[in-house]
Amino acid sequence: MQRPLDEAITARLQELDARGLRRTLLPLGLDEPGRAALDGRSYLDFGSNDYLALASAPLEWESLATIPTGARASRLVTGNLSPHMAAERALAELVGLPSALLFTSGYATNVGALPALVGPGDHVFSDELNHASLIDGCRLSRAHIHRFPHNDLQALELALAAAPPSGHRLVVTEAVFSMEGDRAPLEQLRALTERHGAWLMVDEAHSVGVLGRRGRGLCHEAGVTPEVLIGTLGKAFGAMGAFVAGSSRLRELLFHRARSVVFSTGISPLMAEIVSRRTLQVLEADEARAHQAALATQLATGLQRLGLEVRGTGPIVTAVFGTPQGAVEAETRLREAGILARAIRPPTVPEGTSRVRLVPTAAHSSADIDRLLGAIA
Ligand SMILES: *Cc1c(COP(=O)(O)O)cnc(C)c1O
């Protein structure tokens, strides 16, 4: 006997409630960059990944009026349009790799690219704190998955040495970890993967656009060339979508084999054109990047002075409160002080490390950070 669906759902939501994991969607109105409108009040927004405040930066909108809103079909059918190809050239050039392929989101990229690259009989070595989209992509690939402790080169080396020599080997990491705010040792990872005949895939969701000179990301900054580089466009670029960059053969394999490209309508050509224009703005934003970095340092230092456990020094800073209830209480208190920041709880972060994730953007001022620190104190 099947229970009515709503009853079953209610039971599951109550279970989330009991564990302090029930969430709500904030009904936000539009506001100035760096702020968010909620229930008729304007809040300082430290919860968005709008690092360079480009999500609401001016564009020449009149000149976009003739660009189609829809791709009309998969890129492989009739949906491969000039704005897509122009954006891909601009993005490849930004990260200093030969080629790039657009996807509709970072999530769609990782669940599409990983199974296109590896399969049963292959070995994926994945940092334990990798983003859910990378985890899901690994699972979908049906390759053998070796999770290694966060940023632990020794453990990774042991796992690579212990894995059977058959099949391909792929090491997967983020450049800046999205919920931890720390960075992967990219140069050492490159050396290690070369020693062990493994490919390297780096997800630069929180570094392309926001870190490195001209926003070219951490791989470029470190002189590291991964076989596969992921960048997302919903964060520093203030747009939406994502891309894989690498060799032109990689691009070709992906449009044949990444199911989130093959069986999905191409990203809106209008969005692709916006991405091209945002890319030009990203290249010119060294000043905004320096300002964002200075605010992140001010925030991390201030939180440490308050005696809080701080993870991440920029562009993301997190204050760890432990229990979901602790992090939610911090979120509530900040809300009362006119500040928006979201508690991050399991399953997004491991049990016992619930935290408030704080992202200063180029639209904030040093006085805004002082206000945030005052409210936390
Ligand atoms: C945000 C994020 C993604 C997903 O990108 P979307 O474009 O938001 O789907 C993928 N990987 C990492 C590391 C991220 O932080």
Side-chain angles (χ1 to χ4, degrees), residues 44 46 291-292 294-303 306 317 339 358-361 364-376:
L44 267 177
F46 288 105
H291 179 56
Q292 200 279 340
L295 295 181
T297 304
Q298 181 191 346
L299 176 58
T301 314
L303 290 170
L306 294 175
V317 177
I339 293 169
L358 301 162
V359 180
T361 75
H364 293 126
S365 66
S366 174
D368 292 336
I369 302 296
D370 284 338
R371 205 179 126 200
L372 171 61
L373 286 166
I376 290 175

Side-chain angles (χ1 to χ4, degrees), residues 105-108 110 131 133-134 174 176 178 203 205-206 232-235 241-242:
S105 74
Y107 186 84
N110 288 335
H131 191 264
S133 58
L134 293 167
E174 296 183 28
V176 170
S178 54
D203 185 336
H206 296 277
T232 65
L233 304 168
K235 290 157 185 164

